[in-house]
Amino acid sequence: MNLYKRENYLKKIRPFYNDTGIIKVITGIRRCGKSCLMQTISQEIIQTNIPEQNIIYINLDKKQFKNIKTSNQLETLIDSLTKNINGIKFLFIDEIQNVSNFEEIINAYREEENYSIFITGSNSYLLSGELITKLTGRYIEFELFTLSFEEYIDMKKFYKKEISSNINEEFDKYIIEGGFPKALEYNNIEDKRTYLSSIITEIFEKDIRKRVKIKNVSVFNKIQTYIINNFGATVSIKNILKELKKDGIIIKRETLNRYIQILTDAKIIYRCNRFDMKSKKSLNSEQKYYLADLSLYFITNTDNRINYGSVLENIIYLYLRTKRYTVSVGKIGKLECDFIIRNNNMEYAYIQVAMTILNSKETEDREYACLEKIKDNYPKYVITKNDLIQHRNGIKHINIVDFIKLEKIV
């Protein structure tokens, strides 16, 4: 099978291909490409002269394995597939959360020290409860996101899809179409939307309904729609409850918190914490939420207009997460810094995102003001979509497409 290689993720996982002491856990929203990534890994391992029989690939969503529901059944299956195989066995298990109490059996194979284990799951239930308790220090999570803009262009080239010579036109298409890989197979927007709508249904049926009890599905759907339609905006539980009450929906604060956590666990949304840069404390009363993919907004929103500020923020947020930065929203006095990012070396950068800063001097001043108040010497960026580039007080002004191409941000 000819698969597009998502190099940004492969280079992070390659050092662990032969590590039998660490379970490689690949997570991400449904249909973001986890199975294809695992297949790519298995192909690369075979290319290192490992016999194909040493690659054991089990997709628990496939018909031949759909009846494997218990850890005992999984153990019997693995033993039958690995019988008489010498050397390291490379065990790939897709959608492992379909098996109850899988943690103990997976750890047991890890303990044998001749299995290199890769598992996937569509949501963070995979990294909750028993897995954390029993496998602490014995697994590494690699979180997979939908296609970044760079990957979107590369994948279109890989599959010989038509690409505009105007990169800004392609960027506009990316905003509307999103980054779910399979959506690239469809040539018109109606077919893409039909496919993308099916993803929302699948997530609800497989990642939510089967795992948590939702007494009132219609209320849950309203909350989901509200959060999706207000992505990138600062929201509080109090304000959401107030908006629901206007529609005649009265629910407990605990229920609302639980429903938002369900959406987060299913990786439909990501919570971006707000941080007070003066007090150095997290601001828990207000949060921002970003979407796992912009297409989720365009297939569920109640307003077809595009809020480019939130859209561009969402793209930058996901891009930063793919680069494994810690990302938060910064508050300094009455001003807000869209993103504070930190790398593993505890180095920082500060980012403001806007559609344009050229419409008015007031807009320009607003975007620069927060960054100008930050007195350290870490990089500071103002990111816009189509503006002529200008610089001010050492702050870098950069086009969003060029920012995504940067080799080094911090």
Side-chain angles (χ1 to χ4, degrees), residues 68-109:
I68 306 297
K69 299 296 183 185
T70 68
S71 57
N72 287 337
Q73 290 173 329
L74 182 61
E75 181 180 11
T76 300
L77 174 64
I78 293 171
D79 286 346
S80 69
L81 295 173
T82 58
K83 191 176 181 180
N84 301 323
I85 295 178
N86 298 317
I88 295 179
K89 305 168 187 68
F90 295 87
L91 178 60
F92 296 85
I93 306 179
D94 209 349
E95 304 299 349
I96 197 168
Q97 76 274 5
N98 291 352
V99 173
S100 60
N101 302 316
F102 66 83
E103 300 87 0
E104 288 187 359
I105 191 62
I106 288 299
N107 192 42
Y109 283 108

Side-chain angles (χ1 to χ4, degrees), residues 223 237 241 244 250-258:
I223 292 168
I237 295 297
L241 289 170
L244 291 171
I250 299 175
I251 62 172
K252 294 180 179 178
R253 176 181 291 264
E254 295 77 10
T255 302
L256 177 57
N257 275 319
R258 177 171 169 265

Side-chain angles (χ1 to χ4, degrees), residues 192-204:
K192 291 177 188 288
R193 292 282 173 86
T194 299
Y195 167 69
L196 294 166
S197 294
S198 74
I199 294 175
I200 286 285
T201 303
E202 185 179 13
I203 291 170
F204 183 77

